[in-house]
PDB file of all heavy atoms in Angstrom:
ATOM      1  N   GLY K  17     -14.311 -16.637  21.869  1.00  0.00           N
ATOM      2  CA  GLY K  17     -15.234 -15.895  21.008  1.00  0.00           C
ATOM      3  C   GLY K  17     -14.864 -14.453  20.776  1.00  0.00           C
ATOM      4  O   GLY K  17     -15.632 -13.685  20.281  1.00  0.00           O
ATOM      5  N   SER K  18     -13.646 -14.023  21.213  1.00  0.00           N
ATOM      6  CA  SER K  18     -13.243 -12.659  21.086  1.00  0.00           C
ATOM      7  C   SER K  18     -12.804 -12.215  19.703  1.00  0.00           C
ATOM      8  O   SER K  18     -12.876 -11.045  19.379  1.00  0.00           O
ATOM      9  CB  SER K  18     -12.125 -12.378  22.129  1.00  0.00           C
ATOM     10  OG  SER K  18     -10.982 -13.191  21.823  1.00  0.00           O
ATOM     11  N   ALA K  19     -12.353 -13.125  18.905  1.00  0.00           N
ATOM     12  CA  ALA K  19     -11.793 -12.783  17.567  1.00  0.00           C
ATOM     13  C   ALA K  19     -12.908 -12.754  16.552  1.00  0.00           C
ATOM     14  O   ALA K  19     -13.773 -13.619  16.491  1.00  0.00           O
ATOM     15  CB  ALA K  19     -10.775 -13.810  17.167  1.00  0.00           C
ATOM     16  N   ALA K  20     -12.963 -11.677  15.756  1.00  0.00           N
ATOM     17  CA  ALA K  20     -13.974 -11.547  14.710  1.00  0.00           C
ATOM     18  C   ALA K  20     -13.739 -12.610  13.658  1.00  0.00           C
ATOM     19  O   ALA K  20     -14.625 -13.189  13.104  1.00  0.00           O
ATOM     20  CB  ALA K  20     -13.902 -10.173  14.063  1.00  0.00           C
ATOM     21  N   LYS K  21     -12.472 -12.871  13.347  1.00  0.00           N
ATOM     22  CA  LYS K  21     -12.093 -13.955  12.377  1.00  0.00           C
ATOM     23  C   LYS K  21     -11.236 -14.967  13.122  1.00  0.00           C
ATOM     24  O   LYS K  21     -10.464 -14.642  13.974  1.00  0.00           O
ATOM     25  CB  LYS K  21     -11.214 -13.406  11.270  1.00  0.00           C
ATOM     26  CG  LYS K  21     -11.916 -12.537  10.239  1.00  0.00           C
ATOM     27  CD  LYS K  21     -10.930 -12.214   9.137  1.00  0.00           C
ATOM     28  CE  LYS K  21     -11.534 -11.463   8.016  1.00  0.00           C
ATOM     29  NZ  LYS K  21     -10.567 -11.168   6.939  1.00  0.00           N
ATOM     30  N   LEU K  22     -11.494 -16.203  12.856  1.00  0.00           N
ATOM     31  CA  LEU K  22     -10.715 -17.257  13.484  1.00  0.00           C
ATOM     32  C   LEU K  22      -9.406 -17.560  12.664  1.00  0.00           C
ATOM     33  O   LEU K  22      -8.502 -18.148  13.250  1.00  0.00           O
ATOM     34  CB  LEU K  22     -11.536 -18.549  13.605  1.00  0.00           C
ATOM     35  CG  LEU K  22     -12.732 -18.454  14.531  1.00  0.00           C
ATOM     36  CD1 LEU K  22     -13.535 -19.747  14.474  1.00  0.00           C
ATOM     37  CD2 LEU K  22     -12.366 -18.109  15.933  1.00  0.00           C
ATOM     38  N   GLY K  23      -9.387 -17.210  11.417  1.00  0.00           N
ATOM     39  CA  GLY K  23      -8.220 -17.497  10.578  1.00  0.00           C
ATOM     40  C   GLY K  23      -7.049 -16.663  11.033  1.00  0.00           C
ATOM     41  O   GLY K  23      -7.152 -15.523  11.439  1.00  0.00           O
ATOM     42  N   GLY K  24      -5.841 -17.249  10.906  1.00  0.00           N
ATOM     43  CA  GLY K  24      -4.627 -16.507  11.284  1.00  0.00           C
ATOM     44  C   GLY K  24      -3.661 -16.529  10.127  1.00  0.00           C
ATOM     45  O   GLY K  24      -4.083 -16.368   8.992  1.00  0.00           O
ATOM     46  N   ALA K  25      -2.418 -16.662  10.407  1.00  0.00           N
ATOM     47  CA  ALA K  25      -1.362 -16.616   9.369  1.00  0.00           C
ATOM     48  C   ALA K  25      -1.194 -17.992   8.784  1.00  0.00           C
ATOM     49  O   ALA K  25      -0.116 -18.568   8.792  1.00  0.00           O
ATOM     50  CB  ALA K  25      -0.077 -16.093   9.967  1.00  0.00           C
ATOM     51  N   ALA K  26      -2.278 -18.520   8.217  1.00  0.00           N
ATOM     52  CA  ALA K  26      -2.230 -19.836   7.512  1.00  0.00           C
ATOM     53  C   ALA K  26      -3.236 -19.772   6.414  1.00  0.00           C
ATOM     54  O   ALA K  26      -4.136 -18.957   6.413  1.00  0.00           O
ATOM     55  CB  ALA K  26      -2.594 -20.894   8.547  1.00  0.00           C
ATOM     56  N   GLU K  27      -3.057 -20.687   5.482  1.00  0.00           N
ATOM     57  CA  GLU K  27      -3.942 -20.718   4.302  1.00  0.00           C
ATOM     58  C   GLU K  27      -4.072 -22.163   3.819  1.00  0.00           C
ATOM     59  O   GLU K  27      -3.090 -22.866   3.760  1.00  0.00           O
ATOM     60  CB  GLU K  27      -3.371 -19.863   3.160  1.00  0.00           C
ATOM     61  CG  GLU K  27      -4.206 -19.803   1.915  1.00  0.00           C
ATOM     62  CD  GLU K  27      -3.606 -18.845   0.892  1.00  0.00           C
ATOM     63  OE1 GLU K  27      -2.763 -18.007   1.223  1.00  0.00           O
ATOM     64  OE2 GLU K  27      -4.044 -18.966  -0.249  1.00  0.00           O
ATOM     65  N   LEU K  28      -5.318 -22.556   3.522  1.00  0.00           N
ATOM     66  CA  LEU K  28      -5.535 -23.860   2.877  1.00  0.00           C
ATOM     67  C   LEU K  28      -5.554 -23.619   1.393  1.00  0.00           C
ATOM     68  O   LEU K  28      -6.329 -22.797   0.903  1.00  0.00           O
ATOM     69  CB  LEU K  28      -6.918 -24.510   3.332  1.00  0.00           C
ATOM     70  CG  LEU K  28      -7.031 -24.873   4.758  1.00  0.00           C
ATOM     71  CD1 LEU K  28      -8.445 -25.458   5.009  1.00  0.00           C
ATOM     72  CD2 LEU K  28      -5.958 -25.900   5.134  1.00  0.00           C
ATOM     73  N   VAL K  29      -4.748 -24.425   0.708  1.00  0.00           N
ATOM     74  CA  VAL K  29      -4.642 -24.230  -0.799  1.00  0.00           C
ATOM     75  C   VAL K  29      -5.178 -25.477  -1.467  1.00  0.00           C
ATOM     76  O   VAL K  29      -4.682 -26.534  -1.237  1.00  0.00           O
ATOM     77  CB  VAL K  29      -3.158 -23.996  -1.133  1.00  0.00           C
ATOM     78  CG1 VAL K  29      -2.989 -23.826  -2.661  1.00  0.00           C
ATOM     79  CG2 VAL K  29      -2.539 -22.781  -0.437  1.00  0.00           C
ATOM     80  N   PHE K  30      -6.155 -25.288  -2.295  1.00  0.00           N
ATOM     81  CA  PHE K  30      -6.798 -26.390  -3.047  1.00  0.00           C
ATOM     82  C   PHE K  30      -6.151 -26.423  -4.419  1.00  0.00           C
ATOM     83  O   PHE K  30      -6.206 -25.421  -5.198  1.00  0.00           O
ATOM     84  CB  PHE K  30      -8.272 -26.177  -3.190  1.00  0.00           C
ATOM     85  CG  PHE K  30      -9.030 -26.325  -1.867  1.00  0.00           C
ATOM     86  CD1 PHE K  30      -9.201 -25.254  -1.045  1.00  0.00           C
ATOM     87  CD2 PHE K  30      -9.497 -27.549  -1.429  1.00  0.00           C
ATOM     88  CE1 PHE K  30      -9.908 -25.359   0.185  1.00  0.00           C
ATOM     89  CE2 PHE K  30     -10.133 -27.718  -0.250  1.00  0.00           C
ATOM     90  CZ  PHE K  30     -10.330 -26.612   0.564  1.00  0.00           C
ATOM     91  N   ALA K  31      -5.590 -27.540  -4.793  1.00  0.00           N
ATOM     92  CA  ALA K  31      -5.012 -27.716  -6.151  1.00  0.00           C
ATOM     93  C   ALA K  31      -6.140 -27.870  -7.158  1.00  0.00           C
ATOM     94  O   ALA K  31      -7.074 -28.673  -6.914  1.00  0.00           O
ATOM     95  CB  ALA K  31      -4.085 -28.948  -6.160  1.00  0.00           C
ATOM     96  N   VAL K  32      -6.069 -27.152  -8.254  1.00  0.00           N
ATOM     97  CA  VAL K  32      -7.086 -27.276  -9.326  1.00  0.00           C
ATOM     98  C   VAL K  32      -6.320 -27.299 -10.656  1.00  0.00           C
ATOM     99  O   VAL K  32      -5.165 -26.924 -10.774  1.00  0.00           O
ATOM    100  CB  VAL K  32      -8.055 -26.094  -9.313  1.00  0.00           C
ATOM    101  CG1 VAL K  32      -8.894 -26.094  -8.079  1.00  0.00           C
ATOM    102  CG2 VAL K  32      -7.353 -24.740  -9.512  1.00  0.00           C
ATOM    103  N   ASP K  33      -7.006 -27.855 -11.670  1.00  0.00           N
ATOM    104  CA  ASP K  33      -6.396 -27.965 -13.013  1.00  0.00           C
ATOM    105  C   ASP K  33      -6.497 -26.663 -13.762  1.00  0.00           C
ATOM    106  O   ASP K  33      -5.705 -26.425 -14.685  1.00  0.00           O
ATOM    107  CB  ASP K  33      -7.103 -29.075 -13.878  1.00  0.00           C
ATOM    108  CG  ASP K  33      -6.848 -30.446 -13.270  1.00  0.00           C
ATOM    109  OD1 ASP K  33      -5.761 -30.656 -12.677  1.00  0.00           O
ATOM    110  OD2 ASP K  33      -7.683 -31.296 -13.455  1.00  0.00           O
ATOM    111  N   ASP K  34      -7.455 -25.812 -13.399  1.00  0.00           N
ATOM    112  CA  ASP K  34      -7.703 -24.567 -14.145  1.00  0.00           C
ATOM    113  C   ASP K  34      -8.245 -23.525 -13.146  1.00  0.00           C
ATOM    114  O   ASP K  34      -9.385 -23.590 -12.695  1.00  0.00           O
ATOM    115  CB  ASP K  34      -8.690 -24.796 -15.276  1.00  0.00           C
ATOM    116  CG  ASP K  34      -9.018 -23.595 -16.094  1.00  0.00           C
ATOM    117  OD1 ASP K  34      -8.850 -22.452 -15.688  1.00  0.00           O
ATOM    118  OD2 ASP K  34      -9.427 -23.788 -17.243  1.00  0.00           O
ATOM    119  N   VAL K  35      -7.372 -22.573 -12.793  1.00  0.00           N
ATOM    120  CA  VAL K  35      -7.753 -21.579 -11.755  1.00  0.00           C
ATOM    121  C   VAL K  35      -8.957 -20.751 -12.221  1.00  0.00           C
ATOM    122  O   VAL K  35      -9.878 -20.514 -11.431  1.00  0.00           O
ATOM    123  CB  VAL K  35      -6.578 -20.670 -11.395  1.00  0.00           C
ATOM    124  CG1 VAL K  35      -6.998 -19.535 -10.526  1.00  0.00           C
ATOM    125  CG2 VAL K  35      -5.511 -21.540 -10.663  1.00  0.00           C
ATOM    126  N   ARG K  36      -8.987 -20.339 -13.436  1.00  0.00           N
ATOM    127  CA  ARG K  36     -10.068 -19.479 -13.968  1.00  0.00           C
ATOM    128  C   ARG K  36     -11.384 -20.214 -13.903  1.00  0.00           C
ATOM    129  O   ARG K  36     -12.411 -19.702 -13.461  1.00  0.00           O
ATOM    130  CB  ARG K  36      -9.767 -18.998 -15.363  1.00  0.00           C
ATOM    131  CG  ARG K  36     -10.868 -18.220 -16.077  1.00  0.00           C
ATOM    132  CD  ARG K  36     -11.199 -16.891 -15.418  1.00  0.00           C
ATOM    133  NE  ARG K  36     -10.124 -15.958 -15.396  1.00  0.00           N
ATOM    134  CZ  ARG K  36     -10.169 -14.804 -14.785  1.00  0.00           C
ATOM    135  NH1 ARG K  36     -11.317 -14.370 -14.256  1.00  0.00           N
ATOM    136  NH2 ARG K  36      -9.142 -13.937 -14.805  1.00  0.00           N
ATOM    137  N   SER K  37     -11.405 -21.480 -14.337  1.00  0.00           N
ATOM    138  CA  SER K  37     -12.631 -22.268 -14.294  1.00  0.00           C
ATOM    139  C   SER K  37     -13.110 -22.529 -12.867  1.00  0.00           C
ATOM    140  O   SER K  37     -14.282 -22.434 -12.560  1.00  0.00           O
ATOM    141  CB  SER K  37     -12.424 -23.637 -14.966  1.00  0.00           C
ATOM    142  OG  SER K  37     -12.228 -23.420 -16.374  1.00  0.00           O
ATOM    143  N   ALA K  38     -12.174 -22.769 -11.963  1.00  0.00           N
ATOM    144  CA  ALA K  38     -12.508 -23.016 -10.537  1.00  0.00           C
ATOM    145  C   ALA K  38     -13.061 -21.684  -9.960  1.00  0.00           C
ATOM    146  O   ALA K  38     -14.101 -21.692  -9.241  1.00  0.00           O
ATOM    147  CB  ALA K  38     -11.306 -23.434  -9.738  1.00  0.00           C
ATOM    148  N   TYR K  39     -12.472 -20.590 -10.306  1.00  0.00           N
ATOM    149  CA  TYR K  39     -12.930 -19.265  -9.818  1.00  0.00           C
ATOM    150  C   TYR K  39     -14.334 -19.032 -10.304  1.00  0.00           C
ATOM    151  O   TYR K  39     -15.208 -18.579  -9.528  1.00  0.00           O
ATOM    152  CB  TYR K  39     -11.940 -18.173 -10.339  1.00  0.00           C
ATOM    153  CG  TYR K  39     -12.419 -16.802 -10.212  1.00  0.00           C
ATOM    154  CD1 TYR K  39     -12.348 -16.082  -8.994  1.00  0.00           C
ATOM    155  CD2 TYR K  39     -12.999 -16.113 -11.338  1.00  0.00           C
ATOM    156  CE1 TYR K  39     -12.793 -14.783  -8.888  1.00  0.00           C
ATOM    157  CE2 TYR K  39     -13.422 -14.836 -11.217  1.00  0.00           C
ATOM    158  CZ  TYR K  39     -13.337 -14.117 -10.039  1.00  0.00           C
ATOM    159  OH  TYR K  39     -13.754 -12.841  -9.937  1.00  0.00           O
ATOM    160  N   GLU K  40     -14.619 -19.252 -11.572  1.00  0.00           N
ATOM    161  CA  GLU K  40     -15.955 -19.022 -12.103  1.00  0.00           C
ATOM    162  C   GLU K  40     -16.973 -19.972 -11.526  1.00  0.00           C
ATOM    163  O   GLU K  40     -18.122 -19.519 -11.155  1.00  0.00           O
ATOM    164  CB  GLU K  40     -15.909 -19.184 -13.636  1.00  0.00           C
ATOM    165  CG  GLU K  40     -15.185 -18.027 -14.317  1.00  0.00           C
ATOM    166  CD  GLU K  40     -14.858 -18.221 -15.792  1.00  0.00           C
ATOM    167  OE1 GLU K  40     -15.219 -19.290 -16.364  1.00  0.00           O
ATOM    168  OE2 GLU K  40     -14.258 -17.302 -16.357  1.00  0.00           O
ATOM    169  N   ALA K  41     -16.632 -21.253 -11.322  1.00  0.00           N
ATOM    170  CA  ALA K  41     -17.585 -22.182 -10.734  1.00  0.00           C
ATOM    171  C   ALA K  41     -17.910 -21.871  -9.273  1.00  0.00           C
ATOM    172  O   ALA K  41     -19.079 -21.923  -8.852  1.00  0.00           O
ATOM    173  CB  ALA K  41     -17.009 -23.635 -10.846  1.00  0.00           C
ATOM    174  N   LEU K  42     -16.907 -21.515  -8.488  1.00  0.00           N
ATOM    175  CA  LEU K  42     -17.142 -21.150  -7.095  1.00  0.00           C
ATOM    176  C   LEU K  42     -17.803 -19.822  -6.945  1.00  0.00           C
ATOM    177  O   LEU K  42     -18.659 -19.649  -6.085  1.00  0.00           O
ATOM    178  CB  LEU K  42     -15.759 -21.142  -6.354  1.00  0.00           C
ATOM    179  CG  LEU K  42     -15.152 -22.516  -6.164  1.00  0.00           C
ATOM    180  CD1 LEU K  42     -13.737 -22.394  -5.560  1.00  0.00           C
ATOM    181  CD2 LEU K  42     -16.004 -23.442  -5.254  1.00  0.00           C
ATOM    182  N   SER K  43     -17.524 -18.884  -7.849  1.00  0.00           N
ATOM    183  CA  SER K  43     -18.252 -17.590  -7.850  1.00  0.00           C
ATOM    184  C   SER K  43     -19.710 -17.841  -8.077  1.00  0.00           C
ATOM    185  O   SER K  43     -20.580 -17.167  -7.477  1.00  0.00           O
ATOM    186  CB  SER K  43     -17.650 -16.663  -8.855  1.00  0.00           C
ATOM    187  OG  SER K  43     -16.353 -16.228  -8.569  1.00  0.00           O
ATOM    188  N   ALA K  44     -20.020 -18.756  -9.005  1.00  0.00           N
ATOM    189  CA  ALA K  44     -21.471 -19.062  -9.309  1.00  0.00           C
ATOM    190  C   ALA K  44     -22.150 -19.667  -8.115  1.00  0.00           C
ATOM    191  O   ALA K  44     -23.395 -19.576  -8.004  1.00  0.00           O
ATOM    192  CB  ALA K  44     -21.500 -19.981 -10.512  1.00  0.00           C
ATOM    193  N   LYS K  45     -21.354 -20.290  -7.206  1.00  0.00           N
ATOM    194  CA  LYS K  45     -21.987 -20.863  -5.956  1.00  0.00           C
ATOM    195  C   LYS K  45     -21.999 -19.832  -4.845  1.00  0.00           C
ATOM    196  O   LYS K  45     -22.326 -20.195  -3.701  1.00  0.00           O
ATOM    197  CB  LYS K  45     -21.128 -22.079  -5.499  1.00  0.00           C
ATOM    198  CG  LYS K  45     -21.266 -23.258  -6.396  1.00  0.00           C
ATOM    199  CD  LYS K  45     -20.504 -24.445  -5.837  1.00  0.00           C
ATOM    200  CE  LYS K  45     -20.795 -25.696  -6.642  1.00  0.00           C
ATOM    201  NZ  LYS K  45     -20.338 -26.897  -5.898  1.00  0.00           N
ATOM    202  N   GLY K  46     -21.693 -18.626  -5.118  1.00  0.00           N
ATOM    203  CA  GLY K  46     -21.806 -17.545  -4.107  1.00  0.00           C
ATOM    204  C   GLY K  46     -20.503 -17.200  -3.359  1.00  0.00           C
ATOM    205  O   GLY K  46     -20.539 -16.404  -2.469  1.00  0.00           O
ATOM    206  N   ILE K  47     -19.362 -17.842  -3.750  1.00  0.00           N
ATOM    207  CA  ILE K  47     -18.125 -17.484  -3.102  1.00  0.00           C
ATOM    208  C   ILE K  47     -17.699 -16.095  -3.496  1.00  0.00           C
ATOM    209  O   ILE K  47     -17.677 -15.786  -4.670  1.00  0.00           O
ATOM    210  CB  ILE K  47     -16.998 -18.487  -3.489  1.00  0.00           C
ATOM    211  CG1 ILE K  47     -17.363 -19.889  -3.051  1.00  0.00           C
ATOM    212  CG2 ILE K  47     -15.642 -18.058  -2.937  1.00  0.00           C
ATOM    213  CD1 ILE K  47     -17.400 -20.156  -1.570  1.00  0.00           C
ATOM    214  N   LYS K  48     -17.445 -15.258  -2.546  1.00  0.00           N
ATOM    215  CA  LYS K  48     -16.881 -13.918  -2.811  1.00  0.00           C
ATOM    216  C   LYS K  48     -15.382 -13.956  -2.675  1.00  0.00           C
ATOM    217  O   LYS K  48     -14.872 -14.164  -1.587  1.00  0.00           O
ATOM    218  CB  LYS K  48     -17.465 -12.897  -1.796  1.00  0.00           C
ATOM    219  CG  LYS K  48     -19.032 -12.896  -1.755  1.00  0.00           C
ATOM    220  CD  LYS K  48     -19.590 -12.325  -3.059  1.00  0.00           C
ATOM    221  CE  LYS K  48     -21.074 -12.204  -2.959  1.00  0.00           C
ATOM    222  NZ  LYS K  48     -21.778 -12.467  -4.158  1.00  0.00           N
ATOM    223  N   PHE K  49     -14.692 -13.778  -3.824  1.00  0.00           N
ATOM    224  CA  PHE K  49     -13.209 -13.812  -3.727  1.00  0.00           C
ATOM    225  C   PHE K  49     -12.639 -12.495  -3.260  1.00  0.00           C
ATOM    226  O   PHE K  49     -13.088 -11.427  -3.621  1.00  0.00           O
ATOM    227  CB  PHE K  49     -12.709 -14.160  -5.200  1.00  0.00           C
ATOM    228  CG  PHE K  49     -12.794 -15.611  -5.500  1.00  0.00           C
ATOM    229  CD1 PHE K  49     -13.986 -16.193  -5.841  1.00  0.00           C
ATOM    230  CD2 PHE K  49     -11.657 -16.464  -5.334  1.00  0.00           C
ATOM    231  CE1 PHE K  49     -14.069 -17.576  -6.104  1.00  0.00           C
ATOM    232  CE2 PHE K  49     -11.745 -17.833  -5.558  1.00  0.00           C
ATOM    233  CZ  PHE K  49     -12.973 -18.367  -5.972  1.00  0.00           C
ATOM    234  N   ILE K  50     -11.585 -12.632  -2.439  1.00  0.00           N
ATOM    235  CA  ILE K  50     -10.847 -11.466  -1.968  1.00  0.00           C
ATOM    236  C   ILE K  50      -9.899 -11.011  -3.056  1.00  0.00           C
ATOM    237  O   ILE K  50      -9.630  -9.821  -3.166  1.00  0.00           O
ATOM    238  CB  ILE K  50     -10.024 -11.941  -0.730  1.00  0.00           C
ATOM    239  CG1 ILE K  50     -10.968 -12.343   0.411  1.00  0.00           C
ATOM    240  CG2 ILE K  50      -9.099 -10.812  -0.268  1.00  0.00           C
ATOM    241  CD1 ILE K  50     -10.261 -13.111   1.484  1.00  0.00           C
TER     242      ILE K  50
END
């Protein structure tokens, strides 16, 4: 429980057909993009 973030030097990448549409749909669901 010592780490503020559990994520390390790894990334999960989700394949999508349209990045802009995925970005807009996830943003509408409350996802805050970095």
Side-chain angles (χ1 to χ4, degrees):
S18 60
K21 286 185 178 183
L22 295 177
E27 180 176 343
L28 293 181
V29 179
F30 292 89
V32 296
D33 293 331
D34 180 336
V35 170
R36 176 63 62 182
S37 293
Y39 168 80
E40 291 170 358
L42 291 172
S43 292
K45 289 185 171 193
I47 299 292
K48 303 293 184 216
F49 280 80
I50 297 165

